[in-house]
Structure formats: structure tokens, C-alpha cells
Amino acid sequence: MPGDRQLRNTQVNLGRNLGKCKDSCRRKLEAKLRKSISSSLKDSFSCLSCTLVGAMMARAVVQITLLGLLLALVTTLPNKDNWDIYSFHINSTVSSRYATTVITSRVANRMDESKEIEFQVRIPKNAFISKFRMFIDGQVYDGVVKGKEKAQQQYTEAVSRGQSAGIVSSVGRTLEEFKTSVNVAAHKKVTFELTYEELLKRRLGKYELQIHAQPMQPVKDFKVDVHINEQAGINFIEVKGGLSTKSLANAITKTHTDKQAWVYFYPTEDQQKTCDSCGEQGINGDLVITYDVNRDTSLGDIKTSDGYFVHHFAPSSLTRIPKNVVFVIDRSGSMHGRKIQQTRIALLHILNDLAEEDHFGLITFDDSIIHWKRELVRANKKNLDSAKAFARDIRDRGGTDINKAVLEGARMLNAHPREGSASILILLTDGDPTSGVTNIEIIQSNVRGAIADKFPLYCLGFGFDVNFEFLEKMSLQNNGVARRIYEDSDADLQLKGFYEEVATPLLTDVTMIYLGGTNLTQTNFSQYYNGSEIVVAGQITDNDVETFTPQVVAISGRRRLTFSETNATVESTGTVSDNRIQRVWAYLTVKQLLEKELLLSGPEKENVKKEALELSLKYSFVTPLTSMVVTKPQGETTDVLHKPKEGETPGLPAPPVAALPGIYGAFAPPGFGGGGGDGAGLGAGVSMGQPAHDYDDLLLYDAVLPDSGVSYRMPVKVTRVIGATPSHGFVGRIVPDMPVDDLLMAATTVPETEAPVSHRFLIKPENMSLPLCFDVTGDTRLKLFHHPNKELSVNGELDSVVYGGFKQIVIHVKADLQVEVDANEITVREGQTVTRHTGQDHITAGSLTVIRQDKEIDVTAGDTRIVILIHVKDGTKFLWPVLRQQPSDNNTEGILALKPAVYEEVQQTPSTKLKIKDQETDVTRSNAVDYSIDSHPTLDCWLMPAESALQRRLDDFTVAQL
């Protein structure tokens, strides 16, 4: 029919011309489509006007076709303008290198009708999801981990409905994506909470915690809190990643003590739109925290708890072992182009890194083998220059005979035994075997026989065309690992980075021995490399720590070394209540059972699979053997979460941690102000009724003898008096230098008098040294923060009781806006209008946003962000402010704006002196509770007068009125 022909011609012209539209027009079209149909149509037609040339005769048909096209596009693009993600928190706690991360997203449906609300996050591939829950209208919906077979029925039903049932998928090199959704009624809210766990792996001398943030829109209450607790001591900590640069740098703060570190990322809503990796959909990028712990050449770091142990073994200062290495490089036709170019570049870098005592070989293969030399040779300048010339001339061609190539590499290493050296075979390929022996099982059997457990095989799979499971199994069979090399501009750096991990062997034939231990994870390791770490976990027989004896035996060059318990630090975490050490054991055991299952067949394979499944279910790990069924309100469809394989398309409570440059807080008991000696008594975290030592009815107090200025830390025997209250304090005679057993103190109460309370503040140091601390006495009003350019002031009044912090904080913005905060309510005075808020509200007043939650109040004014923590001690609440984000211009003053402490220790005896800005001052080593952290740890510090710490008079930081 002519009409049909005209329609077909019109559609051909339309398709041809649509392809000629410029990218800018398409981008504009997509952006407009996300907002509304009506506005989109106008701009879309103008953008697509070029497509109408040559199609004027079919104008009516074209317009109808375009309208249908646009409507279809609108319905397929997600419209998130109807949702308000009003809070997005990521909280990660790391202890003994085991990270537990909780992502919490709170979303409101602002529409007058129900909407499908989506939750989508990315987590590390190495992690196991262990919990998912939703809170809707007062109800909690917990995800349930089941065996994959038991969950299969729900999975199949979801697929038959056309839904995305497999809601975890691999994304990029290191991440997996978790995605689900739920129907939320009009003007209702939903909270999503996802927990995942992972054991951080040490590579190149550091651990790396990767946190990906992509909330899908700018969020007013956006926070990333990281708390690291390592009893071995933290050697260094750094913050990297795309979210740590340029305009977001001032949204990151970190603080650390000897054994703990805190990192906070609190970008404002404006920053989430303007950074390099940001846009209208908010932040999309990574925050990467790298750190290492202190270590020595001993047996290492061993922790026990409730019948379980974990052993981190990474001795340093060992002599490097010469190595023998053969590189087997695929040069088949599929390596054409950038792959072969990047391989050449990487090989040249790697050859440069070989030490002269190393021996090496280099072969390339397609359907035949090309030798650089048929035997291994020393890595001297002459041989390296020749090898580099060979590498520069590698060209792609032919098929892929992996069997012949790997066997030849093994032959070269077997023909070159050297006592006191370590041998390594490295294969790089991008495809399946296509020449020679192509049966995968035969190849694996041949390679295993040729290597015979004498050295490891490392397989690098280039791109996604490679059979990665084949390479992974072949590596595991030969004590190595497989690593995917991603086709990207930095593939040569990926290759070089992997080589650097195995470039420096320090020990071979490592055997981990645990007398009194059972149910152990892997205990035999072919090699230990510089910058890596061996981790073993297990159970202690009958929980008998006294008879538990760890030992490590290994070869270093020509020497046999034994690391025994005489050098070890075996630390019992004892009071750890959330079985973190046990979960480390379970995590490692499941990981290694899954690897073992890959190597086995028949009944053995089924037994290992069954054991891994039982552990996964017991500890609620989502693994390749289990699925999480995401439960939803009645009547809604069920999602089933599966963990993909590679290549497929807890210890400490997690605190809402908080600490920034500037200020921490503590308190001292009434009547005892400065404190001295080795500690600060109650001011250092010893509370009323909690003895500092195991003496019955004794408390440690720091006291100052009247008229002498001499300070003592005294154990005080307390006689309880009916009617005495903590705020009344105690008075008694102090007799220094008497044995504790002979010390008697007659205690009486002072009925109506109260001595001023001392509040202790800390100033964060610039490096790993101790913070400075000073005391402020009484119910003083302090200037906390003042930014004259923004007309922003924050003042606070200290409490007058022993539990003190701040009883009230007042925020002034310009002349007509005042926000008063106490532990129970927030009062907003804007001009003549006064409003009071007692619930968990989002308050917007002028340029100020205030978000109140259970334990904190978040205040944002432009590019400044202050969090006011609410602490509770013995039923009494108090406030403690923390500057989470400094304004970019730094023209600020006040206690919260204090710069990090910089000092030099110039004298240790007879007393300690510190030098600050050319001024020397006497100090005593003390401690204080850090109230800028929700878990309020006790920190050691250098106690000094306030004027010395502030380098100004205290009066400069006080105000007459709030």
C-alpha cells in the first residue's frame, strides 16, 4: 500500500537522520526527558529539527512517530524527582583488618500516590553481604539467607514475571551492585539498611578499604564514618580515591591515635553537585582508606576470643630471596592492538625491576613457541637489554596453545634449580586454548604433573573473552592465584602492579603450626612475599588459651627459621561480645572451601560444598552457594539476591564516629581540677563507682595538696553515706606515699556546696604524636566557631555538673536568625517567629539546615558543617560539638576552628617540656575522654595550661552571652 511505503520511507529517513544528531542535542534531550514530558517535547523537537529535512512530505506521520518515540523514552528513564533521599549514611568499622560496613538510606515518597522506591548500592567483590532489612511504616522486613536451591523457586517465579531477580551483579574491577525496590505509600518513608563484611587483604605493604558512594541524588544528610581499631598499632593512614580530591578535600577529616583512627566524609549538598565525579544525580565515586599496622620480625599479631583465634603473620626486615621467574606471554591474534602494546610496555617495566641476582626466562606463544633464550639466565645489564629488544618486537599472530607454552615454562624452571632461591611461573593470556591440546581438564592435569608443587603458577587473564574459571582452577591447583587484567588504558599498570606483589619473595615453604588448635584454615603456603600477609584462623581446643601454642617454620634462602611463641603477642579480646574473631574464622573458612570445591569432583566436592553451605547459612553470608530472599510487605513481589562469580554480568560496635581537627572533650570530678601524675582520675575516664584498680571500695583520684601545688594520684577508700549524691563530691585527708593497704580515708559528704567542674579539651596533633589537652573550669560560655564572612557564629555553655559537656549551643546566622540547641529540643527564632522542635525533624531556616537524629544534630550552613553529638551518662544528657567540614576560605576562629597541634618535645627529665611556637611549657602525661567520638574512647594526652595549648588567653575564646 502507498501509505505503508510512505511510512517505511519516512521511518528510514528518520532513523538515518537521527544518527546524524549531535551528541549535545542527545544529551539535552535525555536531561529534559528526566524532568517532564511537556518540557521535553519542546526542546526535543528543536534538537531533532535536523531530522525533518527530506521528510517534509510525511510531516504528520513523522510527528506521530516522534511523539511515540519520546513517550517510550520517558517511560523507560527512571524519574527520581518523586523521591527524596533525605539521609544516606555509610558506617564502616575495622578491627583486626576485618571490616563491617553498614549502608543506611532513608527515602521519602513526596507524591500523593504510592511509588516504587529503589535502593541501589555497590560493594566490594571480596565482601559477603550478611544482612539486609527495610523499615516501612513501623514494620521491619528482614532479608533471609537460604541455600540457593531452596531459594530457586522464588528466583524462578521472579524471572517468569520478567523481573530482575538476580539483583547482585559485577560492576567494574572491584565492585558488585546490589539493587532492590519496594512500593511506598503516598507521603510515607522507607529505610534501607545493608550490611556487608570483608577481611582486608594486605598488598604492597598496606590494607585498603574501598567505599563506593552513589546515592543517586544529592542528599542533605550525607555521611561516611570510618573507625579503625588495631591493637597492633596503626603505622600510617591515608585517604585516596576520586572523592578525596579538589573540591571535596575539605569535606574529609581524619584523626588517629596510636591504635585507633577515624575518617569522616561529610560533603554538603552543594558539593555533591559540583565535584569532578558529581552531577545532578549527586556523588558517584570511591573513598579509599589505606593503612598499615606496626609489625616486627616476631611471630606476629594473634588475637583470641571465646574459643577462636586469628593470626596475622607478616614479618619484616627479612633478607630478600633471589628468584627464578619465567614469563609465558600469549601473542595470538586475539591480542591484537592495545592488548599487545600494553603487554610490551608492562614487560619493559618488569624487566627493569629485576635484581641482578635474579634469573629469568621469556617465551611467547601462539600455536607455536618462540624462545628468547631456551634456558634461564642472570638478570645482568647485557641480558636485560637483549630481553627488552625481544619484548619490543612481540607481534600478534596465530592460535593459542596454552598447554605447550606452560609446560615449556615449567621445564625451564625445573631445569634450573638453585638452592636458596624461589621460583615463579607467570602466564598471561586473553583466550581459550585453540591449538594443540584444547581439552581443559587434560591441560590442567599436564600442568599439575609438570610443576609437582615445586613452585607457584600465577595466571593473568586479559579481558573478558578469557575462560577465567579455567585459569583460576589451574592456578589454585599449583599454589598460585588468578587475576583478571581489565582492558583499559591502565592495563600495563595492572600487569606491573601484580608483578610487584610477587617481585620480592622473603620466605618459602611456610608452615603454620598451632598446638591446641583445631578446625584451622589453610596452614601451608609456598611463598611469603614482601608487603603481603599470611592470615590463619581457627578454634582453640576446649578454649584453653594456656596450652595454645603457635609456631611458624619457614625457609629463608638457605636457612630454616622458626618463629616461636616466645616472641609473640597473643592478646585475648576477652570482652568482645559480637564474635568478630569467630566471624573472621567463618569468612576465611568459607572463602577457602569455595576455592577447594573448585578443585574437587565427586563425593569430595559435594562434602566440601555442603560444609561451605552450612557455614554460609549459620553466619548469614551471601555466597555463591546461598541467596538472600528480600522480604517485602504482603502483596509485593519477592527479590532474590545471588552473589555472582568473577566474570558474571562486627568486635567493636560500629560507632557513628566523629572527630575532627580541633577539639575533643572530657570531664573531671568536682573538687579535683587539674590532675597530674600518670593520669587524670575521673577527668581521664574513671567514673564514680568504677574503681581504676582491683581494690575493693577504692577509687583513683588526682588531687592537689593545698598550698603546695604538688599533685598525686591517690587510691581513695570511700565510705558510702545514705543520701550522698555524686554531684556533692567527697572530701577527706590525703596522705601521700603510703601503701594502699594502709591508706584510710574517712569520707564525708558536703551537703550543699559544689566545686567548679573541669571540662577537658583535646587539640588534635598534626602527626602520630599525642594530642594536647587542657581544662576549662566552671559553666563557662565559649566561642565555638565564628565565620565573619558568612555572618555565622556558634557559642556554647558548659554544664555545671560532673557529667558535663555543653548544656546549650546557640547558632547565629546574620542578625535575624538564631537556633538554640539543647539535649531535648531545638528552638528556631527567625525575626519575630519562634518554633520549637522535639522530634527527629529536618529544619530549614534561611541558609541553615538542621537535621536532628537520635544521637546527633547535623547543622549545615553553606560550606560549613557542624555535628552536635548527644551523649548520655548515668541518665544525664549533654552536647558535644564537632566541626565536620571547614569552610573553604578558612577565615574562622573559635575552639572548633583550632589548627592541629604542632610541637616538639625538648626535655624529658626531670620533667617533660614541650616547645610550641618557640615557647616552652611544662606538661604532664595524662588522658581524657574523647567526646567527639560517639564511642568516647579514652586517649593519652599532654596536659598543660589552657593558655599554653591555645597560644592565647582563654578569655579570647569566651563570650558574655550565648
Side-chain angles (χ1 to χ4, degrees):
M1 299 284 294
D4 293 338
R5 189 180 304 114
Q6 183 184 36
L7 176 60
R8 284 196 298 272
N9 292 337
T10 299
Q11 290 172 331
V12 168
N13 288 331
L14 175 61
R16 185 178 297 128
N17 290 302
L18 273 171
K20 297 177 182 179
C21 264
K22 294 183 178 179
D23 289 341
S24 60
C25 287
R26 285 200 294 268
R27 284 195 297 270
K28 186 174 180 182
L29 170 61
E30 290 169 0
K32 293 294 182 182
L33 284 172
R34 288 190 181 95
K35 294 182 178 178
S36 69
I37 296 175
S38 59
S39 61
S40 294
L41 289 174
K42 180 178 178 182
D43 287 318
S44 301
F45 279 123
S46 69
C47 265
L48 296 173
S49 59
C50 59
T51 66
L52 301 180
V53 178
M56 295 298 289
M57 291 180 64
R59 182 178 300 160
V61 178
V62 170
Q63 288 176 339
I64 292 170
T65 306
L66 277 174
L67 179 59
L69 170 66
L70 293 170
L71 287 172
L73 283 170
V74 169
T75 58
T76 59
L77 288 170
N79 184 0
K80 299 184 177 64
D81 292 345
N82 303 331
W83 320 346
D84 177 17
I85 303 175
Y86 61 91
S87 176
F88 190 86
H89 293 181
I90 301 177
N91 193 306
S92 188
T93 303
V94 184
S95 182
S96 299
R97 293 70 140 181
Y98 193 70
T100 302
T101 302
V102 181
I103 302 175
T104 306
S105 179
R106 296 177 174 89
V107 190
N109 176 15
R110 306 297 187 194
M111 301 297 289
D112 295 328
E113 59 185 3
S114 63
K115 284 290 178 184
E116 194 77 10
I117 304 293
E118 197 174 276
F119 176 67
Q120 180 176 323
V121 294
R122 295 181 179 183
I123 68 172
K125 286 182 179 178
N126 201 40
F128 288 154
I129 292 173
S130 56
K131 184 186 290 185
F132 177 72
R133 57 199 337 201
M134 293 185 291
F135 303 81
I136 306 171
D137 215 12
Q139 296 292 316
V140 181
Y141 300 90
D142 285 297
V144 181
V145 176
K146 296 183 178 182
K148 188 161 284 187
E149 292 179 0
K150 289 189 176 181
Q152 190 64 40
Q153 182 178 353
Q154 287 142 306
Y155 178 85
T156 304
E157 288 175 358
V159 170
S160 67
R161 290 190 299 266
Q163 295 178 320
S164 177
I167 52 178
V168 172
S169 57
S170 296
V171 178
R173 304 176 187 179
T174 57
L175 297 171
E176 292 172 350
E177 188 171 84
F178 171 88
K179 183 178 179 181
T180 190
S181 61
V182 67
N183 199 57
V184 177
H187 303 289
K188 294 291 185 178
K189 298 177 180 178
V190 57
T191 296
F192 300 98
E193 183 183 279
L194 177 75
T195 302
Y196 63 86
E197 304 173 33
E198 62 175 323
L199 182 65
L200 304 182
K201 189 169 184 178
R202 189 171 186 250
R203 289 193 175 100
L204 301 175
K206 59 182 179 288
Y207 304 97
E208 188 172 282
L209 175 68
Q210 181 185 16
I211 294 175
H212 185 84
Q214 187 186 10
M216 298 188 294
Q217 62 180 235
V219 180
K220 287 183 179 180
D221 181 24
F222 182 102
K223 299 176 183 178
V224 177
D225 294 328
V226 178
H227 177 210
I228 299 172
N229 181 14
E230 295 289 357
Q231 292 303 306
I234 296 173
N235 182 266
F236 74 88
I237 182 168
E238 296 175 350
V239 182
K240 304 188 298 184
L243 298 182
S244 67
T245 57
K246 296 183 181 178
S247 60
L248 290 174
N250 72 327
I252 295 172
T253 53
K254 66 175 181 177
T255 187
H256 55 257
T257 61
D258 181 34
K259 296 180 180 180
Q260 296 189 79
W262 295 265
V263 176
Y264 318 95
F265 178 55
Y266 280 42
T268 63
E269 197 171 5
D270 287 341
Q271 282 181 305
Q272 296 170 49
K273 300 175 186 176
T274 58
C275 68
D276 288 347
S277 54
C278 305
E280 289 301 316
Q281 290 191 329
I283 276 180
N284 181 5
D286 295 321
L287 200 66
V288 180
I289 292 96
T290 61
Y291 75 97
D292 198 16
V293 301
N294 298 326
R295 59 187 79 249
D296 53 33
T297 56
S298 73
L299 182 58
D301 179 23
I302 302 173
K303 286 186 175 54
T304 65
S305 176
D306 197 26
Y308 289 83
F309 76 90
V310 60
H311 182 190
H312 296 268
F313 178 69
S316 58
S317 304
L318 295 174
T319 304
R320 179 187 183 277
I321 301 175
K323 65 177 176 293
N324 315 304
V325 57
V326 173
F327 303 97
V328 181
I329 307 299
D330 186 346
R331 52 165 281 176
S332 61
S334 57
M335 290 284 288
H336 176 75
R338 188 162 70 168
K339 286 183 187 177
I340 203 72
Q341 294 171 7
Q342 291 174 319
T343 300
R344 288 196 293 261
I345 294 169
L347 265 178
L348 293 173
H349 284 300
I350 290 169
L351 292 170
N352 278 331
D353 287 343
L354 291 173
E356 189 163 351
E357 63 267 26
D358 293 335
H359 286 62
F360 75 105
L362 177 58
I363 61 178
T364 62
F365 71 96
D366 41 59
D367 45 17
S368 60
I369 294 176
I370 310 296
H371 292 84
W372 166 61
K373 293 184 182 296
R374 292 189 173 272
E375 307 297 335
L376 272 67
V377 298
R378 192 179 186 90
N380 56 33
K381 186 177 184 305
K382 178 182 177 182
N383 288 330
L384 288 174
D385 287 344
S386 173
K388 290 175 189 175
F390 177 84
R392 292 188 189 98
D393 198 42
I394 295 175
R395 298 288 183 271
D396 55 278
R397 44 151 282 184
T400 309
D401 193 340
I402 292 176
N403 181 71
K404 184 188 294 185
V406 177
L407 294 181
E408 177 59 15
R411 181 203 66 78
M412 293 173 67
L413 285 172
N414 285 325
H416 193 84
R418 277 201 303 159
E419 187 180 358
S421 66
S423 295
I424 304 169
L425 182 59
I426 299 177
L427 166 69
L428 171 67
T429 182
D430 76 331
D432 286 338
T434 61
S435 299
V437 178
T438 57
N439 183 289
I440 286 174
E441 292 181 356
I442 294 176
I443 295 173
Q444 290 168 339
S445 176
N446 291 343
V447 170
R448 193 171 187 179
I451 292 177
D453 289 330
K454 287 178 281 191
F455 46 83
L457 167 65
Y458 297 103
C459 295
L460 305 180
F462 209 143
F464 278 91
D465 293 333
V466 69
N467 185 338
F468 191 80
E469 187 171 319
F470 157 59
L471 297 181
E472 183 180 32
K473 184 173 181 177
M474 192 161 64
S475 294
L476 291 172
Q477 287 173 333
N478 296 284
N479 304 303
V481 297
R483 183 79 58 82
R484 188 183 298 281
I485 304 299
Y486 292 85
E487 291 186 61
D488 211 335
S489 58
D490 68 340
D492 56 311
L493 298 179
Q494 295 177 56
L495 289 166
K496 185 174 181 291
F498 172 81
Y499 170 75
E500 288 172 349
E501 291 181 38
V502 299
T504 310
L506 298 178
L507 296 171
T508 59
D509 299 320
V510 183
T511 303
M512 316 287 284
I513 302 168
Y514 302 94
L515 299 179
T518 185
N519 289 330
L520 305 173
T521 59
Q522 181 181 344
T523 55
N524 294 295
F525 302 86
S526 62
Q527 296 180 3
Y528 162 69
Y529 299 100
N530 186 40
S532 68
E533 181 176 66
I534 292 173
V535 183
V536 178
Q539 294 178 257
I540 300 172
T541 305
D542 298 326
N543 197 14
D544 188 352
V545 180
E546 297 300 321
T547 61
F548 176 65
T549 307
Q551 188 181 71
V552 179
V553 178
I555 305 298
S556 174
R558 292 181 171 86
R559 297 180 302 147
R560 178 184 175 89
L561 298 181
T562 299
F563 302 85
S564 67
E565 75 283 352
T566 57
N567 297 321
T569 302
V570 180
E571 179 185 352
S572 175
T573 59
T575 58
V576 174
S577 59
D578 69 346
N579 64 5
R580 181 178 293 262
I581 302 300
Q582 184 177 346
R583 294 189 74 83
V584 174
W585 168 79
Y587 175 96
L588 265 179
T589 301
V590 170
K591 286 276 186 184
Q592 293 175 7
L593 286 172
L594 291 172
E595 291 179 350
K596 189 175 180 181
E597 187 242 348
L598 186 65
L599 304 178
L600 299 173
S601 59
E604 283 184 307
K605 184 183 184 77
E606 291 306 311
N607 288 338
V608 168
K609 186 176 179 181
K610 180 183 177 183
E611 185 180 354
L613 174 60
E614 289 174 352
L615 277 177
S616 299
L617 293 173
K618 180 178 179 180
Y619 292 93
S620 294
F621 290 149
V622 178
T623 71
L625 301 179
T626 57
S627 300
M628 179 176 282
V629 178
V630 179
T631 57
K632 297 183 183 182
Q634 189 172 5
E636 290 207 42
T637 56
T638 299
D639 283 333
V640 180
L641 179 153
H642 294 311
K643 184 175 180 66
K645 292 183 178 180
E646 170 62 41
E648 287 181 350
T649 295
L652 297 173
V657 284
L660 279 210
I663 168 169
Y664 310 77
F667 60 86
F672 296 90
D678 293 331
L682 286 180
V686 182
S687 62
M688 196 75 71
Q690 294 177 323
H693 288 298
D694 295 329
Y695 303 129
D696 291 339
D697 300 316
L698 289 178
L699 298 179
L700 280 186
Y701 281 105
D702 284 339
V704 181
L705 289 180
D707 304 320
S708 72
V710 179
S711 62
Y712 293 88
R713 164 162 276 201
M714 301 300 299
V716 179
K717 188 174 180 67
V718 176
T719 302
R720 300 181 183 276
V721 181
I722 295 175
T725 60
S727 62
H728 289 150
F730 295 91
V731 173
R733 298 189 307 277
I734 296 177
V735 187
D737 298 325
M738 288 185 63
V740 170
D741 291 340
D742 298 332
L743 180 66
L744 295 175
M745 179 165 280
T748 60
T749 63
V750 183
E752 296 299 337
T753 60
E754 286 187 357
V757 177
S758 290
H759 297 77
R760 182 157 292 177
F761 295 84
L762 292 104
I763 303 178
K764 176 187 170 183
E766 198 167 56
N767 46 39
M768 289 291 289
S769 53
L770 292 181
L772 306 181
C773 55
F774 63 93
D775 290 338
V776 177
T777 305
D779 52 354
T780 308
R781 298 180 182 94
L782 291 175
K783 181 198 297 180
L784 297 175
F785 188 79
H786 179 53
H787 193 333
N789 294 354
K790 300 291 178 67
E791 298 183 66
L792 172 66
S793 295
V794 183
N795 303 319
E797 183 175 3
L798 292 169
D799 233 326
S800 57
V801 293
V802 69
Y803 312 103
F806 290 85
K807 64 182 179 183
Q808 188 178 42
I809 292 173
V810 178
I811 304 154
H812 300 270
V813 181
K814 300 185 177 179
D816 59 345
L817 177 59
Q818 178 177 307
V819 178
E820 301 163 8
V821 178
D822 63 33
N824 298 309
E825 73 173 13
I826 299 170
T827 302
V828 179
R829 304 181 187 275
E830 193 169 9
Q832 300 299 314
T833 304
V834 178
T835 56
R836 287 180 171 83
H837 306 264
T838 57
Q840 294 190 26
D841 295 335
H842 284 223
I843 305 165
T844 301
S847 61
L848 196 70
T849 300
V850 182
I851 302 171
R852 184 189 179 97
Q853 297 174 31
D854 280 340
K855 295 183 179 180
E856 62 184 51
I857 299 163
D858 195 314
V859 180
T860 303
D863 59 354
T864 302
R865 196 164 179 181
I866 296 172
V867 170
I868 302 171
L869 297 175
I870 304 173
H871 290 284
V872 181
K873 189 171 180 64
D874 296 336
T876 301
K877 295 181 180 180
F878 64 88
L879 308 173
W880 203 270
V882 189
L883 182 63
R884 282 286 186 256
Q885 182 171 317
Q886 291 267 12
S888 53
D889 61 9
N890 282 326
N891 180 26
T892 58
E893 59 182 4
I895 293 285
L896 294 181
L898 291 172
K899 297 293 188 291
V902 180
Y903 64 81
E904 178 185 359
E905 192 173 332
V906 294
Q907 178 179 306
Q908 293 183 335
T909 57
S911 62
T912 303
K913 286 184 181 290
L914 299 185
K915 186 176 182 180
I916 306 173
K917 292 184 179 178
D918 299 325
Q919 179 183 342
E920 294 185 5
T921 185
D922 290 319
V923 297
T924 56
R925 186 162 181 141
S926 187
N927 50 28
V929 179
D930 178 2
Y931 284 129
S932 72
I933 307 293
D934 183 72
S935 56
H936 48 269
T938 299
L939 308 180
D940 287 345
C941 62
W942 290 120
L943 180 61
M944 60 177 61
E947 286 74 13
S948 300
L950 298 170
Q951 291 293 293
R952 292 166 62 182
R953 295 183 312 128
L954 181 59
D955 289 348
D956 294 339
F957 293 88
T958 61
V959 292
Q961 298 181 22
L962 289 181

Coordinates of all heavy atoms in Angstrom, one line a residue, residues 47 262 400 416 507 724 769 816 872:
C47 N 15.9 20.1 19.1 CA 17.1 19.3 18.9 C 17.1 18.5 17.7 O 18.0 18.3 17.0 CB 17.4 18.5 20.1 SG 18.4 19.2 21.3
W262 N 40.0 7.5 62.8 CA 38.7 7.9 62.4 C 38.8 8.7 61.1 O 39.6 9.6 61.0 CB 37.9 8.7 63.4 CG 37.7 7.9 64.7 CD1 36.6 7.2 65.1 CD2 38.6 7.8 65.8 NE1 36.7 6.7 66.3 CE2 37.9 7.0 66.8 CE3 39.9 8.3 66.1 CZ2 38.5 6.7 68.0 CZ3 40.4 8.0 67.3 CH2 39.7 7.2 68.3
T400 N 46.2 -20.4 19.9 CA 46.6 -20.3 21.3 C 46.8 -21.7 21.8 O 45.9 -22.4 22.1 CB 45.4 -19.6 22.1 OG1 45.1 -18.4 21.5 CG2 45.8 -19.4 23.5
H416 N 66.5 -25.5 36.1 CA 67.3 -24.5 36.7 C 67.1 -24.4 38.2 O 66.8 -23.4 38.7 CB 67.0 -23.2 36.0 CG 68.0 -22.1 36.3 ND1 69.2 -21.9 35.6 CD2 68.0 -21.1 37.3 CE1 69.8 -20.9 36.1 NE2 69.2 -20.4 37.1
L507 N 60.2 -15.6 52.2 CA 60.2 -16.9 52.8 C 59.6 -17.9 51.8 O 58.7 -17.6 51.0 CB 59.3 -17.0 54.1 CG 59.8 -16.1 55.3 CD1 58.7 -16.1 56.4 CD2 61.1 -16.6 55.8
A724 N 24.0 10.6 100.0 CA 25.1 11.3 99.2 C 24.8 11.2 97.8 O 24.3 10.2 97.3 CB 26.5 10.6 99.5
S769 N 51.9 12.0 67.0 CA 52.2 12.3 68.4 C 50.9 12.4 69.3 O 49.8 12.5 68.7 CB 53.1 13.5 68.5 OG 52.4 14.6 67.8
D816 N 19.1 38.1 62.1 CA 17.7 37.8 62.4 C 17.4 36.3 62.6 O 16.3 35.9 62.7 CB 16.8 38.4 61.3 CG 17.1 37.8 60.0 OD1 18.2 37.2 59.8 OD2 16.3 37.9 59.0
V872 N 25.0 10.4 76.6 CA 24.2 10.1 77.8 C 25.1 9.4 78.8 O 25.7 8.4 78.4 CB 23.0 9.3 77.5 CG1 22.2 9.0 78.8 CG2 22.1 9.9 76.4

